[in-house]
Amino acid sequence: MVQAAPSSGYIQPKQITYCGVCSYPVEYCAYGSKLSKCKKWLSGAHPDLFTKYYGDDASTSSAPAAASKGDGDDKEEGGEVSKTADKMGGLSLEEEALKKEAKAERKAAKAEAQKMSSKILIKRQERTKRKMTTSIQGLEVFGIDLKKASKLFANKFATGASVSKNPQGEDEIVIQGDVAYEVEEMLLKKTGKEGDVFGGKVPEDNIDIIDVKKKKKAEEE
């Protein structure tokens, strides 16, 4: 008598498809803030899954958690009610996701508008008759790391460069020496070490170079 080999008990794991837009599993796109873009991607990349989650007959369209409902007693007279409730819940979740997406887009648009209207100020300031400093403020608005920028300036000009607070409490980089125009050129470069730090993030029209006159001592006070 041949004895049957015992079952290994191995259960093949469920295959998960991740969204190419939000990187969530596709059944959870509705919990993100890019639902409309996710749906567009899914319809092209995986039309079968799009139909499954967003088709007219998909009662679990945006609510995967609801899929576990409908078992037991509600398969009878409560089954249809549960199915309808799940579908309504899914639509509600999808509407909420679309609202979240619209809010995120408005916030991003506002931030972009603020950035494009911001200025980077490069100030040339005389400390003594023979010493000048160059200060740069506004870099952080364009997503530039001030510490990395400060280190790059120090290496480039072989001089002191540090991040500090100006009298208005704003962060700025102060460089020893008159290097305002060289700094402007560096900000606009998109390659090399400058490109790694500044990455072409700053439009030329958003850079202003100004001269700050040294305050007269109060012999005239």
Side-chain angles (χ1 to χ4, degrees), residues 27-31 35 39 53-54 58-66 86-87 89-95 97:
E27 60 266 39
Y28 292 103
C29 289
Y31 294 99
L35 181 59
K39 289 173 69 175
Y53 293 116
Y54 302 105
S59 63
T60 57
S61 62
S62 297
D86 287 349
K87 189 169 184 178
L91 290 173
S92 176
L93 180 58
E94 183 171 343
E95 289 172 355

Side-chain angles (χ1 to χ4, degrees), residues 32-72:
S33 59
K34 302 177 181 179
L35 181 59
S36 62
K37 294 179 182 178
C38 294
K39 289 173 69 175
K40 184 177 180 180
W41 175 85
L42 188 62
S43 65
H46 301 282
D48 54 332
L49 292 178
F50 178 83
T51 301
K52 178 180 178 181
Y53 293 116
Y54 302 105
D56 291 339
D57 296 328
S59 63
T60 57
S61 62
S62 297
S68 61
K69 296 182 180 181
D71 294 334

